[in-house]
Amino acid sequence: MSITINNQEGFSQVYQQVWVRRFGLFIHNSRKKSGYSPEKVARMAGMGTSAWLAAEAGWIPATLVQLRSMAGALRFSDLQFETALQLCRDAWQA
């Protein structure tokens, strides 16, 4: 399978989607490593299970409050949280 991108805007969207998916995988893998179910970690983060699973599938929380609550539920240190945001920063670019 190949993808043909005919303009810069199309490339930007694909590039952002790569980072959105990477963020989702990072959240998913962190949750699995913690041993928590999606229901438990979502409850700990103060969000619905469907919202948590959407983040694992590539939905990007729009606010820092949402991101911090997810990081708290995963028991990230401040350094882990900052590193995750830095590594996946291109997921938030328009």
Side-chain angles (χ1 to χ4, degrees), residues 14-29:
V14 169
Y15 182 77
Q16 182 183 17
Q17 286 303 308
V18 167
W19 285 105
V20 165
R21 185 65 188 128
R22 181 68 197 121
F23 174 79
L25 286 171
F26 180 76
I27 294 300
H28 173 79
N29 291 337

Side-chain angles (χ1 to χ4, degrees), residues 57-92:
W59 167 73
I60 297 294
T63 69
L64 192 55
V65 171
Q66 291 171 316
L67 289 167
R68 284 205 180 275
S69 69
M70 292 177 75
L74 292 169
R75 296 199 165 114
F76 285 176
S77 68
D78 287 343
L79 179 60
Q80 287 172 309
F81 177 65
E82 294 297 328
T83 300
L85 292 181
Q86 185 64 26
L87 289 173
C88 298
R89 69 186 173 274
D90 289 337
W92 285 270

